[in-house]
Amino acid sequence: MKNLHLPIGEEDLRSLRAYDSVSFSGTLYVGRDQVHQRLVKLLEEGKPLPVELEGQAIYYMGPSPPLPGMIMGSCGPTTSARMDPFTPQLLGKGLKVLIGKGPRSQAVHDALKKEKAVYVQAFGGCGALYAKTIVSVEKVAFEDLGPEALLRLEVKDFPVIVAIDSHGGSVF
Amino acid sequence: MSLAKRIEKALIDAARILSEPIHKRIEWARDEEKRLDGKSVGSKASIAVLEAILENLRISKNEWIPMCQDTGMFDVFVDVGRSYPLSHAEIEEAILTGCEKAAKNGYFRPSVVEEPLFGRKNTKTNTPPIIWWSLVEGKNVEINVLLKGFGSENTCATRMMNPTATEEQIVAAVADIVTLAGGKPCPPIFIGIGLGGTMERAAYLSKRALLREVGVPNSVERYAKLEEKILAGVQATGIGAGGLGGRITALNVAIEYEPTHIAGLPMGVSINCWADRIARVVWEG
Ligand code: SF4
């Protein structure tokens, strides 16, 4: 298991290969369907994004409510395929690490290779396990979306498996 | 304890603890994956997934965090004994209350929308539940609730097979549905199959099949054998835990069948993720 920091450095990113087990610590964004749609709409309208995506990681996730005394509820990955229509444009803006579960479209495979980015799988359904990795949570944009707002998380020892690497290698 | 309270408690527990046969089956999958391969990159990744699932289950039980953030839709199966003495409306009331309270007090994710197409407004309560009523012999009421996650529900299917379909064609059709599903339903999966009836009855039976205790085969030998053949057919897809390639794709296959029409063979295939959460309450009449 490799321990890597987020946002990821160029060298670390290029070292990742399909099937590698990795443990991430650092910061990542959380956004799913609505956030993707809005980010892409802003890009299409030529407007600035609420956050800088260059070099960042995004996690597709929609948590259950936190228990008293906790900052995050169960928080495993959601199905990545739903973000496929929006992903190539975000990769074009410098997003480097995608975190979700399940297969991706050919367009995403191609864009990952072109933009030298990676797609990693979190363990499907393991929401309690991921809840324990969350160090802090902050709402950063689209607060009107409520539980679907764009979040920034700080995580520690967040385990994933590389599914599509930046060299075109893939588990699919 | 009132029926509503018992339902609430069973649901809250089900979101955190799998039944023992199901938990054991996941341990079996990890051991079997090691025994059959354990060396290829896909198999190693599968083992990592299975270890993560077991660790996740340990945390959800000890820290009372729902095992998965998708706490599912309440899919309720009520079997009412024909001699049950009290009103059915009371049972319904208890189910509605039990589900609503479980969602709130169990920190379930609000995962239900009011209508499917326009607006999709969240009901915020994780209700209404889906309720299926059946009459059975006896004087008790048995309530089984599937906490049905939709990563796996989205991969379920019905197929209207030819009345002359062979066992092999049934096996191939199920393997095909599982292959299409790939890693989406969080494999390893549980498979419920309904054969016969009409299109919607076969789908219903496939869910009933998921409710049968894992490891108990169909009581009719021919169907028990078919369950084994389908399981072998599904393992041969090589999807594996997490869809990363491995020997164990499914944990169990259960079939329920019923009479059907001379001109057809409806088949429903329900797929449930490893988080096979079932709350069961028996209420004595
Ligand atoms: S498919 Fe099951 S285990 Fe996976 S995220 Fe959905 S409910 Fe959870």
Side-chain angles (χ1 to χ4, degrees):
Chain A
M1 171 108 63
K2 285 185 185 171
N3 292 297
L4 296 181
H5 185 76
L6 289 179
I8 199 163
E10 166 86 18
E11 207 171 301
D12 284 347
L13 184 113
R14 298 297 279 169
S15 78
L16 293 178
R17 299 284 173 171
Y19 294 106
D20 282 354
S21 278
V22 183
S23 175
F24 283 135
S25 297
T27 57
L28 50 81
Y29 288 105
V30 172
R32 45 181 182 150
D33 312 64
Q34 302 290 336
V35 164
H36 276 73
Q37 196 166 34
R38 288 208 188 175
L39 291 174
V40 165
K41 188 149 177 274
L42 288 173
L43 287 178
E44 281 169 352
E45 290 168 350
K47 294 189 180 145
L49 298 183
V51 294
E52 174 57 65
L53 293 182
E54 184 62 46
Q56 299 296 327
I58 195 161
Y59 182 30
Y60 312 139
M61 183 274 282
S64 65
L67 268 67
M70 289 193 68
I71 53 169
M72 177 61 82
S74 195
C75 57
T78 195
T79 304
S80 306
R82 298 201 311 271
M83 312 324 143
D84 284 354
F86 311 108
T87 298
Q89 269 163 289
L90 300 187
L91 290 170
K93 287 310 262 185
L95 198 60
K96 286 298 175 212
V97 181
L98 316 174
I99 310 172
K101 72 167 168 114
R104 308 301 306 251
S105 67
Q106 189 56 47
V108 172
H109 279 254
D110 296 345
L112 285 166
K113 195 166 171 195
K114 174 160 172 267
E115 308 291 350
K116 300 191 175 55
V118 295
Y119 168 53
V120 302
Q121 283 207 130
F123 297 113
C126 293
L129 182 123
Y130 286 105
K132 301 288 288 177
T133 68
I134 312 297
V135 179
S136 71
V137 185
E138 189 190 346
K139 269 191 190 167
V140 289
F142 311 134
E143 298 219 13
D144 60 300
L145 290 175
E148 287 211 49
L150 178 63
L151 309 178
R152 187 192 288 121
L153 303 185
E154 193 185 334
V155 300
K156 190 168 186 308
D157 303 327
F158 183 104
V160 297
I161 291 178
V162 178
I164 308 173
D165 62 36
S166 62
H167 310 274
S170 158
V171 302
F172 300 113
Chain B
M1 208 189 284
S2 70
L3 178 57
K5 197 76 200 158
R6 281 185 58 191
I7 295 169
E8 176 190 339
K9 184 175 181 314
L11 288 169
I12 292 176
D13 289 355
R16 285 140 173 107
I17 305 170
L18 292 177
S19 76
E20 203 176 310
I22 290 172
H23 196 280
K24 286 237 157 77
R25 203 60 188 156
I26 298 173
E27 288 172 344
W28 165 86
R30 174 200 52 197
D31 299 343
E32 197 67 0
E33 185 66 50
K34 284 184 186 163
R35 190 177 70 81
L36 293 171
D37 182 343
K39 288 184 198 73
S40 66
V41 280
S43 186
K44 274 193 192 149
S46 280
I47 292 164
V49 170
L50 291 160
E51 296 281 15
I53 291 170
L54 289 165
E55 171 68 3
N56 183 63
L57 288 169
R58 199 186 58 73
I59 296 170
S60 75
K61 183 176 167 190
N62 291 345
E63 315 226 358
W64 218 235
I65 306 168
M67 64 183 78
C68 178
Q69 70 286 344
D70 183 358
T71 43
M73 193 164 185
F74 297 122
D75 201 0
V76 187
F77 297 79
V78 196
D79 295 330
V80 186
R82 291 194 172 84
S83 339
Y84 177 71
L86 301 174
S87 127
H88 292 184
E90 275 172 34
I91 306 173
E92 186 186 36
E93 182 65 38
I95 292 169
L96 296 175
T97 309
C99 288
E100 191 158 344
K101 290 226 162 122
K104 183 163 177 284
N105 299 332
Y107 298 88
F108 286 21
R109 188 181 71 181
S111 305
V112 176
V113 294
E114 267 170 25
E115 52 73 34
L117 187 57
F118 303 103
R120 295 181 60 88
K121 195 162 164 269
N122 198 306
T123 65
K124 307 250 170 77
T125 54
N126 221 32
T127 62
I130 297 165
I131 308 182
W132 303 94
W133 298 87
S134 315
L135 286 177
V136 298
E137 287 316 306
K139 61 179 176 52
N140 296 340
V141 177
E142 180 172 335
I143 299 168
N144 284 281
V145 189
L146 273 168
L147 292 178
K148 194 63 184 71
F150 261 54
S152 53
E153 188 65 11
N154 284 336
T155 62
C156 300
T158 50
R159 292 228 176 145
M160 303 308 275
M161 304 294 288
N162 211 304
T164 55
T166 60
E167 267 186 88
E168 286 65 36
Q169 285 167 332
I170 299 279
V171 173
V174 177
D176 186 45
I177 290 164
V178 171
T179 302
L180 259 176
K184 276 180 260 172
C186 290
I189 53 176
F190 292 89
I191 303 174
I193 298 172
L195 290 175
T198 49
M199 178 273 286
E200 87 288 358
R201 186 70 184 172
Y204 167 80
L205 288 173
S206 72
K207 283 289 190 306
R208 296 265 4 177
L210 282 179
L211 297 178
R212 195 196 311 146
E213 186 172 318
V214 166
V216 178
N218 192 294
S219 55
V220 176
E221 209 191 321
R222 285 197 285 201
Y223 282 91
K225 285 250 163 66
L226 181 57
E227 290 172 347
E228 280 172 25
K229 279 191 196 165
I230 293 174
L231 183 60
V234 166
Q235 309 302 33
T237 61
I239 290 163
L244 294 164
R247 301 298 188 93
I248 309 297
T249 300
L251 297 166
N252 195 55
V253 174
I255 302 173
E256 298 294 341
Y257 67 91
E258 274 183 5
T260 189
H261 189 276
I262 47 172
L265 200 178
M267 176 169 78
V269 178
S270 277
I271 294 183
N272 208 3
C273 38
W274 62 260
D276 187 18
R277 296 154 290 179
I278 302 169
R280 176 169 292 151
V281 172
V282 179
W283 186 249
E284 315 223 323

